[in-house]
Amino acid sequence: MGSILRSEDMSLVQLTMQREAAHDTVASFGNLGLIQFKDLSADLNAFQRQYANDIKRCDELERILRYFEKQLKDSEIKRAVVPLFEGEEPATNTGDLFALETEFEEKEKELLQLNSNLEQMTLEKNKSEELTYVIKQGEAIFSNGQDEELPGNVDSGNGSSDYLVDDNSSLANSARSGGLGYVTGVIPQSKIPTFVLLIYRVTRGNMIPRFSEIPEKLFDQKSGTLIEKSVFTVFFGAQRAREMIKKICESLGANIHEYPSQDVISAQRRLNQKINELEQTINTTELRRNDILTEVSTHFESWKRKIAVEKAVYNALNMMDYKIPGSVIAEGWVPSKHLETIRYKLSEARLSSGAQIESYMEELRTDEVPPTFFETNKFTACFQDIVNAYGVPRYKEVNPAVFAIISFPFLFAVMFGDWGHGIILALFGLSVIVFENKLYKMAEESEMFGMIFHGRYILFMMGLFSIFTGLIYNDVFGLSLGIFGQSGYTFHHDASGRNVGTFSGDTYVFGVDPAWYGTSNKLLFYNSLKMKTSVIFGVVQMSLGIILAGVNMIYFGHYFDFVVEFIPELLLLWCSFGYMCVLIVVKWCRSWTEGVNRSPILGGVPAILPTMTDFFLRFTTLEQPRVFGTPSNSHVVPAVEGTNEQLRLQQVLLAIFAISIPVLLIPKPVYDHYFHKKHHHVDHSQHTHLQDDDIMGTGDVNHADTIVSVNDVHKATNHGEQVEESPFSEKMIKQLIHTIEFVLGVVSNTASYLRLWALSLAHAQLSEVFWDMTIKLLLTNENAIAEFLAKSGIGLVVIWAVWFVLTIGVLLLMESLSAFLHALRLHWVEFQNKFFAGDGHLFQPFHISSIIKAAEKENRED
């Protein structure tokens, strides 16, 4: 518990090692995750650091990996899934990096060459296939035949289809005699309307287009995909239009092919042979590329992790000091209890690296504030993250997460109190806990489910506490059940015919008596109960916060603050709303009726709120019925009456409340001003004395201790000078603001806890409304159709489904989220502001597994 109640003891260590041992040492520390390195080369930019070139090498390897990843996606070859560090050592050495560089360069070069060859061969094959279709259309035209697939006229896009129409034999004869020119090729079908329109305008209508759809999709060089294409032949009269038509074809991505004028059959045969050879070569090339990519997919994850590890190791090495030739100096924060482990790993890494000079570790004295470190597990980590989301605890201050483990789910349950909903919530949380290994991958891939998965223990705890508070409220899905015995009330009809309940004297065993369900004054009863319990819970939690502030003051040795801040703050709360809580409890514990005639005692049944109003505004008299004290027949009791114990107690408490305000306001700024002024004078004298001793060579202090002492005095003196610059008026104003904020916060923070009452009532009322407007409405409806649906079971199934959807969607999702956020606010603002500074910085050790998980998460997001 010590490691989670307060931060672990942290030590600043200096590591000195031989350069040959630095890499293995850092990698070994990365597997432990127990040291946070300090940047000793902060004065250097990224290009001036020792291992800048090695970082560039890692970046280049990552670039090649991204190329491999793209090739794997394009080829649809799945990467082998390798669990983190399974079958391999995560920390690599420099030799591994050189081997990876050579292997990566060879594979990338071969893949680039294979892809280039495939692209060229595919393009050549595509052109050959296009030419075969051009020859087929040419045969249809120039062999005096009629092609059934030829569409004849093609609309130019200007609303006219009045092109020159002639038969193929006439066109062929005109082309052979030189009367008509023609251009043949292949064009994407989507570009045909534009193509026709442009050549129509270029030739001024003197053209005849012929198109034939290609039955299979062909490769398109621009888009890199297979698209639908058509063969075209354009006949034209003016030979000067040939170049303009070719330019139009180039602009629209059409490929021009020359129709062979002689020996068409031989040309077709040569084309078919060429296509077969290209197909065989393409298949062989693709097989070789797939073999390489399959090998890459097998090692891809391990390569990626090795590179990430190496890059992280070099980044850590770049933070070290290399001013001493052949040596490396590193500094970092280590949990004090793990110092021996670090020392052992330091020696072990030196032996494994073959370094001749022993590596050693030394603890340093420092005035720096250490990082905050709590050892958490799967259960406590989620509560710690809730606290850290608001602010990281200051080093060695009390950790609010310890108390949030109980208080957070409890306050949630006070607002969510329904043991039926609590069972569902607890079962859901328990299911995620039981199947956490199977759901881990899903949680990593989905950010929304990842938050639920990380908070699975919170959900389970909130469900358990909701079951408890639901039993206290006797509330299950908007109903009340007598599961703990018989009711303490008996009902009978009075003279007016009303059904009135009479208390039998036997209190219901546990929770609220089920007799209150359905009564006309049920809401008034629950209002009073939940409002008062909310105030009690608020005062108790705020009191705990103030007590923890006092514990912090004692721990850090701020005894004066304990007297002038902790004591008056606690008295301010306890003498006001603390007294109110006492009145509530006393009123609950006393019987305010005597026998059947219900005669009042102590002047009648007291009202708490008017009593507290009179506590501040009418402190000389007690006009309200008393909660405790000697009975009186008068409602107004003079202040001088000796039998009025309650009035005298209230006057004493009010006097303490009034005295605590100036005690909280005045002493602290006066003490701080006087103490720091005197402290600055003493430090300056000590500084001068140390300088004189150092110059004269006197004293029994060694040189290292003298340097440390002088540095400490310098820092203390500088700090004193900074505080001295702050005038007394400014300190007084700050303390005045703190005093006003706390006094007003006693009221506002207590009132803020009334959200426990409001949300609890809202949840209960929604549950009751959903039940009454669905299942109860069907069962109590005397309509014949409703009775038939209810008796047949069809209506019950449908109406139960509606009720269940409303329960899950509104009460278990929306209401639970609302209660969660309000519980979060009560802890962050009302509780933690009493003692929590939250200005610390987390211990972030160099941990290889964390680095790899972060890299994998970033890769999934990309």
Side-chain angles (χ1 to χ4, degrees):
M1 180 61 73
S3 63
I4 191 174
L5 181 62
R6 295 190 187 275
S7 172
E8 290 280 358
D9 293 331
M10 305 298 291
S11 299
L12 181 63
V13 299
Q14 184 181 77
L15 310 174
T16 305
M17 66 200 88
Q18 194 175 344
R19 286 205 178 191
E20 287 78 4
H23 183 279
D24 288 354
T25 301
V26 172
S28 178
F29 288 162
N31 293 331
L32 289 176
L34 292 176
I35 183 169
Q36 177 180 326
F37 290 107
K38 291 180 62 179
D39 191 357
L40 302 182
S41 301
D43 56 327
L44 303 177
N45 60 39
F47 303 102
Q48 295 173 331
R49 301 201 178 218
Q50 189 72 21
Y51 291 92
N53 292 331
D54 297 278
I55 296 293
K56 290 180 182 179
R57 290 165 58 196
C58 292
D59 290 337
E60 177 63 17
L61 291 176
E62 287 180 338
R63 182 198 63 78
I64 298 176
L65 270 180
R66 289 193 294 271
Y67 173 74
F68 288 162
E69 187 175 20
K70 183 177 182 301
Q71 294 299 311
L72 289 172
K73 288 181 179 179
D74 293 342
S75 62
E76 297 182 354
I77 296 177
K78 295 183 178 180
R79 294 180 303 186
V81 178
V82 182
L84 184 62
F85 301 147
E86 182 174 307
E88 62 172 338
E89 184 68 23
T92 62
N93 53 47
T94 309
D96 293 335
L97 195 62
F98 281 116
L100 284 180
E101 279 184 315
T102 304
E103 187 174 2
F104 276 27
E105 288 174 357
E106 292 177 355
K107 283 182 166 52
E108 183 191 26
K109 183 178 180 180
E110 188 173 0
L111 279 175
L112 287 171
Q113 186 64 40
L114 291 174
N115 287 332
S116 176
N117 294 340
L118 276 174
E119 185 179 353
Q120 293 296 327
M121 289 186 292
T122 303
L123 183 62
E124 188 66 26
K125 175 176 173 290
N126 189 66
K127 288 183 178 180
S128 300
E129 289 177 343
E130 288 181 353
L131 183 55
T132 59
Y133 288 107
V134 169
I135 292 175
K136 286 182 182 180
Q137 189 194 48
E139 288 180 344
I141 296 176
F142 294 104
S143 63
N144 296 327
Q146 185 71 28
D147 189 358
E148 295 179 357
E149 294 183 2
L150 295 178
N153 301 337
V154 179
D155 191 359
S156 65
N158 58 357
S160 173
S161 60
D162 297 331
Y163 293 128
L164 177 62
V165 180
D166 199 355
D167 57 76
N168 288 341
S169 59
S170 300
L171 291 175
N173 293 333
S174 299
R176 292 192 189 98
S177 62
L180 288 176
Y182 66 92
V183 174
T184 61
V186 177
I187 187 173
Q189 291 184 12
S190 60
K191 301 293 181 65
I192 290 178
T194 306
F195 177 70
V196 172
L197 178 62
L198 290 176
I199 61 175
Y200 179 83
R201 291 179 178 176
V202 166
T203 60
R204 298 182 180 180
N206 296 317
M207 59 87 184
I208 301 175
R210 289 289 184 263
F211 298 92
S212 178
E213 182 178 344
I214 299 175
E216 61 181 349
K217 293 183 179 181
L218 298 180
F219 181 77
D220 181 62
Q221 187 176 3
K222 282 188 176 181
S223 62
T225 58
L226 296 175
I227 62 173
E228 295 178 345
K229 294 186 177 183
S230 293
V231 179
F232 70 88
T233 303
V234 179
F235 296 92
F236 50 86
Q239 292 298 322
R240 63 178 179 275
R242 179 183 299 273
E243 294 301 323
M244 290 187 288
I245 293 176
K246 287 183 177 181
K247 290 181 180 180
I248 293 173
C249 292
E250 292 176 358
S251 65
L252 296 178
N255 298 323
I256 298 176
H257 298 278
E258 295 294 334
Y259 180 77
S261 58
Q262 297 179 353
D263 199 2
V264 177
I265 297 177
S266 297
Q268 183 68 48
R269 189 182 304 112
R270 288 193 299 273
L271 274 177
N272 292 334
Q273 183 179 359
K274 182 179 180 181
I275 291 172
N276 291 333
E277 292 175 353
L278 286 172
E279 285 180 348
Q280 293 178 0
T281 308
I282 289 173
N283 291 334
T284 304
T285 305
E286 287 181 342
L287 286 175
R288 175 55 186 162
R289 187 185 67 170
N290 289 339
D291 289 342
I292 296 174
L293 291 177
T294 302
E295 183 182 357
V296 168
S297 69
T298 304
H299 303 286
F300 185 85
E301 293 297 333
S302 61
W303 286 344
K304 188 173 183 179
R305 290 169 182 169
K306 284 182 179 180
I307 296 170
V309 169
E310 280 298 303
K311 189 174 181 179
V313 169
Y314 285 126
N315 279 323
L317 289 170
N318 275 339
M319 301 171 70
M320 300 177 183
D321 188 358
Y322 298 89
K323 294 178 182 178
I324 301 176
S327 298
V328 182
I329 297 177
E331 290 184 7
W333 292 101
V334 178
S336 299
K337 67 180 183 181
H338 295 301
L339 287 175
E340 289 303 319
T341 304
I342 295 296
R343 187 174 284 109
Y344 171 77
K345 284 293 181 180
L346 190 66
S347 176
E348 185 182 57
R350 196 271 302 177
L351 293 174
S352 65
S353 64
Q356 301 299 318
I357 302 176
E358 187 71 30
S359 302
Y360 61 92
M361 179 182 72
E362 179 185 4
E363 287 190 63
L364 300 178
R365 293 176 58 187
T366 180
D367 288 336
E368 296 182 43
V369 178
T372 300
F373 173 54
F374 300 105
E375 285 193 347
T376 59
N377 51 38
K378 291 186 294 185
F379 176 72
T380 59
C382 48
F383 294 97
Q384 189 64 58
D385 288 342
I386 287 178
V387 173
N388 293 345
Y390 180 77
V392 178
R394 180 183 292 177
Y395 180 67
K396 286 298 180 182
E397 78 171 343
V398 173
N399 183 16
V402 177
F403 308 94
I405 292 174
I406 298 299
S407 61
F408 186 87
F410 176 74
L411 291 185
F412 169 88
V414 171
M415 294 178 278
F416 195 73
D418 186 305
W419 61 269
H421 299 152
I423 290 175
I424 297 175
L425 189 60
L427 288 177
F428 176 75
L430 182 62
S431 301
V432 180
I433 293 172
V434 172
F435 300 104
E436 61 181 18
N437 293 331
K438 297 181 180 180
L439 298 174
Y440 181 77
K441 185 177 180 181
M442 185 190 303
E444 286 189 331
E445 295 174 352
S446 173
E447 183 177 359
M448 181 65 70
F449 183 73
M451 292 188 294
I452 297 175
F453 180 82
H454 183 64
R456 57 194 181 278
Y457 290 98
I458 295 181
L459 291 174
F460 180 63
M461 292 282 287
M462 292 191 305
L464 291 182
F465 276 87
S466 297
I467 295 173
F468 172 74
T469 55
L471 292 173
I472 292 291
Y473 295 154
N474 200 347
D475 196 355
V476 50
F477 302 125
L479 301 173
S480 291
L481 302 179
I483 58 178
F484 293 105
Q486 295 182 350
S487 170
Y489 287 87
T490 57
F491 289 89
H492 62 278
H493 294 281
D494 61 3
S496 60
R498 294 183 306 167
N499 195 17
V500 179
T502 302
F503 183 57
S504 61
D506 296 328
T507 306
Y508 190 64
V509 177
F510 184 83
V512 175
D513 196 305
W516 286 100
Y517 180 75
T519 58
S520 59
N521 57 344
K522 171 190 173 182
L523 192 58
L524 293 175
F525 171 75
Y526 273 100
N527 263 332
S528 176
L529 173 66
K530 295 183 177 181
M531 180 174 62
K532 292 173 181 176
T533 53
S534 298
V535 173
I536 293 174
F537 293 151
V539 172
V540 170
Q541 189 174 40
M542 289 190 294
S543 299
L544 175 61
I546 297 175
I547 292 172
L548 293 179
V551 172
N552 279 335
M553 293 172 186
I554 294 176
Y555 182 86
F556 292 115
H558 301 160
Y559 300 109
F560 184 79
D561 292 345
F562 182 86
V563 174
V564 301
E565 281 199 342
F566 165 72
I567 293 178
E569 286 180 356
L570 194 62
L571 291 176
L572 283 170
L573 178 62
W574 283 1
C575 291
S576 54
F577 288 97
Y579 173 65
M580 180 180 180
C581 294
V582 172
L583 293 180
I584 292 173
V585 174
V586 171
K587 182 181 176 181
W588 280 346
C589 295
R590 300 192 68 172
S591 175
W592 297 97
T593 59
E594 292 181 351
V596 294
N597 56 0
R598 306 173 64 86
S599 59
I601 63 174
L602 296 180
V605 179
I608 302 298
L609 289 180
T611 300
M612 289 305 300
T613 303
D614 291 345
F615 173 79
F616 288 103
L617 301 180
R618 298 178 181 178
F619 49 85
T620 59
T621 59
L622 187 63
E623 298 187 0
Q624 298 297 324
R626 283 173 284 169
V627 179
F628 58 87
T630 304
S632 173
N633 296 325
S634 175
H635 286 196
V636 180
V637 183
V640 296
E641 185 177 341
T643 59
N644 196 350
E645 295 88 348
Q646 180 178 336
L647 179 60
R648 287 189 296 174
L649 176 61
Q650 291 184 176
Q651 290 172 344
V652 171
L653 294 177
L654 185 61
I656 296 174
F657 183 90
I659 294 172
S660 298
I661 296 176
V663 173
L664 181 62
L665 173 63
I666 299 173
K668 182 174 173 57
V670 174
Y671 175 79
D672 288 346
H673 180 73
Y674 173 77
F675 175 77
H676 285 294
K677 185 176 181 180
K678 182 178 179 180
H679 184 67
H680 168 62
H681 176 72
V682 172
D683 287 343
H684 182 70
S685 300
Q686 291 177 354
H687 182 203
T688 305
H689 178 69
L690 286 170
Q691 285 180 328
D692 292 341
D693 286 345
D694 188 45
I695 293 171
M696 298 302 293
T698 60
D700 297 330
V701 202
N702 62 41
H703 182 65
D705 292 339
T706 304
I707 291 176
V708 172
S709 300
V710 171
N711 289 336
D712 291 343
V713 172
H714 268 300
K715 292 176 181 178
T717 304
N718 292 336
H719 178 70
E721 289 172 355
Q722 291 174 1
V723 175
E724 188 68 26
E725 293 175 359
S726 178
F728 175 74
S729 59
E730 184 175 337
K731 298 177 185 176
M732 196 68 192
I733 291 173
K734 288 182 179 178
Q735 189 64 20
L736 176 63
I737 293 173
H738 170 72
T739 303
I740 295 174
E741 182 181 16
F742 183 84
V743 174
L744 295 179
V746 169
V747 180
S748 63
N749 292 163
T750 305
S752 185
Y753 278 90
L754 292 177
R755 68 186 69 238
L756 300 175
W757 156 53
L759 267 74
S760 175
L761 283 176
H763 185 87
Q765 290 300 305
L766 278 174
S767 300
E768 187 173 348
V769 167
F770 288 163
W771 176 268
D772 290 345
M773 299 303 294
T774 54
I775 298 177
K776 182 178 179 181
L777 182 64
L778 179 66
L779 295 177
T780 58
N781 198 323
E782 297 180 356
N783 185 280
I785 298 177
E787 289 183 359
F788 170 76
L789 292 174
K791 291 179 180 179
S792 64
I794 299 175
L796 283 176
V797 172
V798 174
I799 208 68
W800 180 88
V802 173
W803 171 83
F804 185 75
V805 169
L806 289 174
T807 299
I808 297 296
V810 177
L811 297 177
L812 283 172
L813 293 180
M814 297 176 61
E815 280 286 313
S816 62
L817 180 60
S818 176
F820 180 90
L821 294 177
H822 283 284
L824 201 64
R825 181 246 157 76
L826 290 176
H827 279 78
W828 281 355
V829 180
E830 278 71 28
F831 175 54
Q832 291 180 187
N833 72 348
K834 300 295 185 298
F835 69 98
F836 184 61
D839 55 359
H841 56 284
L842 276 178
F843 175 61
Q844 296 177 328
F846 174 66
H847 200 189
I848 286 175
S849 63
S850 299
I851 293 171
I852 291 178
K853 288 178 181 179
E856 291 178 348
K857 181 180 180 181
E858 183 179 353
N859 182 67
R860 287 193 300 269
E861 292 175 352
D862 294 340

